[in-house]
Amino acid sequence: MILSGDRLPAIQCNGVLVIGDPHVGSRRPGRRKDAVWPQAVLGKLERCVAIANERQLAVVILGDLFDRPVETDEALKNQLIRVLKGFRHRPIVNVGNHDIQHTMLTDSDSLALLGLCDVVDVVATSAPVTEFQIGARSIGIGMTPYGQTIPTDARGSFAGVDLHAWFTHHDIAFDGGYPGAVPPFAVEGCDVLINGHIHKTQKSVLAGRTRWMNPGNITRQSVDLVDHVPRAWILDGSGALEPQALPFENNVFDLTGRVVEAADGSDVAREVESAFVTLLQAESSTELKRSGDGSIVRDEIEAKFAADDTSDAVRAIVRSLLGEAVERHAAQS
């Protein structure tokens, strides 16, 4: 089902399994060096199914179920559907930025198909969604998809609940500010706000009565997540999150060119070649084959940008050229 302001019936459960940003996709991301992809992601989701069913948990996916709005690998989509249909409680899925081609979910997005076929319940519009009855306590939950406005006042969304939780998929400034990030703020009537989108687990922040939490994703896509531990989390009736271990390998990233042993404290890593030359060399597909989405080349180009303080205009042009190269390589492979 696709929810646009509609509410689901109340759900009886022992808690809520919260799953952060799976990013299911047929292209091996970044510097991942898995021999077989995306079995690592599907394996984690299968473990989530076992946890949820063993403990009678409802399920919430924080967004970015897919890594690309349109997943073209039909076999992968069928595998994913089989996994998702294994949950006793149909997962409720927020819409992330990777799930949509435009500003909102449309029929052209793969996630919409899963919702229309009742594999998952997709929340397409910011609104109250349902109530979870956990023992003697009830939790009212709402959701805000990526790009939509997080409410500042959630009072009146539910009557008589013991806890009010809201799920978002946004740039939130948990660990200091950065351009475009929204600082955590008090949401009137909301006790717990759980965010996706930011891939690392963050320390919770209390703003007024609202505790903001960011559990982090279950798929490590980029080398900056090398120390991130992928976990699912159980939300209980008190609003606390309990971590749940998922299967993962430690050594999954190609760190070529990223780990530099300096001869002394004054040495720095050697500057990479010109961004344009690097991109042209990537046309040979040698580097693109190492990373199906071009992330290794992109890392080198971004390092060059930072070193040279490259203008925004040039950065935009080079990023566009890299995107075209990646798509061309994908079409030929």
Side-chain angles (χ1 to χ4, degrees):
M1 181 183 297
I2 296 179
L3 303 173
S4 294
D6 307 313
R7 296 202 192 191
L8 296 169
I11 299 171
Q12 295 275 346
C13 57
N14 292 334
V16 184
L17 187 67
V18 179
I19 302 172
D21 301 27
H23 283 280
V24 176
S26 52
R27 289 198 307 210
R28 181 169 50 86
R31 292 171 174 262
R32 295 282 306 217
K33 57 183 183 180
D34 308 67
V36 180
W37 185 264
Q39 297 312 311
V41 187
L42 296 177
K44 290 179 178 62
L45 287 174
E46 287 171 345
R47 179 58 188 149
C48 288
V49 171
I51 294 170
N53 290 349
E54 287 167 6
R55 300 185 61 168
Q56 294 296 319
L57 305 173
V59 181
V60 167
I61 297 177
L62 294 177
D64 288 349
L65 175 56
F66 284 103
D67 189 48
R68 291 182 290 169
V70 180
E71 176 52 60
T72 58
D73 189 328
E74 296 300 325
L76 173 57
K77 283 189 284 191
N78 285 332
Q79 291 176 64
L80 176 60
I81 287 170
R82 288 192 190 97
V83 173
L84 294 172
K85 288 179 75 69
F87 286 107
R88 290 202 184 99
H89 290 289
R90 185 187 299 168
I92 303 171
V93 181
N94 203 0
V95 175
N97 54 307
H98 282 254
D99 295 315
I100 52 177
Q101 299 178 76
H102 307 294
T103 57
M104 296 186 70
L105 189 74
T106 69
D107 285 350
S108 60
D109 299 318
S110 295
L111 181 58
L113 178 63
L114 269 58
L116 290 168
C117 294
D118 291 339
V119 177
V120 295
D121 290 320
V122 181
V123 179
T125 302
S126 181
V129 175
T130 191
E131 294 182 27
F132 294 128
Q133 189 67 42
I134 303 174
R137 291 180 63 81
S138 60
I139 300 179
I141 73 156
M143 283 190 179
T144 299
Y146 177 80
Q148 298 181 32
T149 302
I150 301 172
T152 58
D153 191 341
R155 290 175 296 185
S157 298
F158 299 96
V161 296
D162 298 296
L163 190 84
H164 192 165
W166 207 272
F167 294 88
T168 60
H169 191 97
H170 281 65
D171 283 308
I172 305 298
F174 280 95
D175 188 17
Y178 56 92
V182 177
F185 56 89
V187 178
E188 295 295 334
C190 180
D191 301 289
V192 176
L193 192 146
I194 302 174
N195 187 58
H197 190 55
I198 299 173
H199 291 172
K200 288 185 179 180
T201 306
Q202 303 290 323
K203 292 182 179 178
S204 65
V205 176
L206 185 63
R209 74 179 258 187
T210 310
R211 182 165 297 281
W212 293 64
M213 296 184 281
N214 193 99
N217 70 349
I218 66 168
T219 305
R220 293 165 298 161
Q221 290 189 289
S222 53
V223 71
D224 61 308
L225 297 175
V226 65
D227 295 324
H228 172 67
V229 178
R231 292 171 288 192
W233 301 75
I234 296 176
L235 176 69
D236 65 20
S238 71
L241 286 176
E242 174 193 344
Q244 299 295 303
L246 298 178
F248 74 97
E249 298 291 333
N250 284 315
N251 185 23
V252 295
F253 290 107
D254 176 1
L255 299 177
T256 303
R258 296 289 299 214
V259 180
V260 178
E261 291 187 18
D264 58 58
S266 64
D267 287 346
V268 295
R270 190 176 45 178
E271 189 173 302
V272 297
E273 296 179 89
S274 159
F276 289 102
V277 172
T278 303
L279 181 57
L280 289 174
Q281 289 176 338
E283 290 293 306
S284 68
S285 295
T286 301
E287 289 298 317
L288 290 179
K289 286 180 180 177
R290 290 173 62 199
S291 169
D293 62 357
S295 291
I296 292 179
V297 178
R298 185 177 292 108
D299 282 346
E300 295 176 355
I301 290 173
E302 294 295 338
K304 179 67 174 174
F305 288 161
D308 292 355
D309 195 21
T310 306
S311 71
D312 290 341
V314 173
R315 294 186 189 211
I317 292 170
V318 176
R319 287 167 180 155
S320 177
L321 290 171
L322 175 59
E324 292 176 7
V326 171
E327 291 301 325
R328 185 160 53 249
H329 172 71
Q332 293 171 352
S333 59

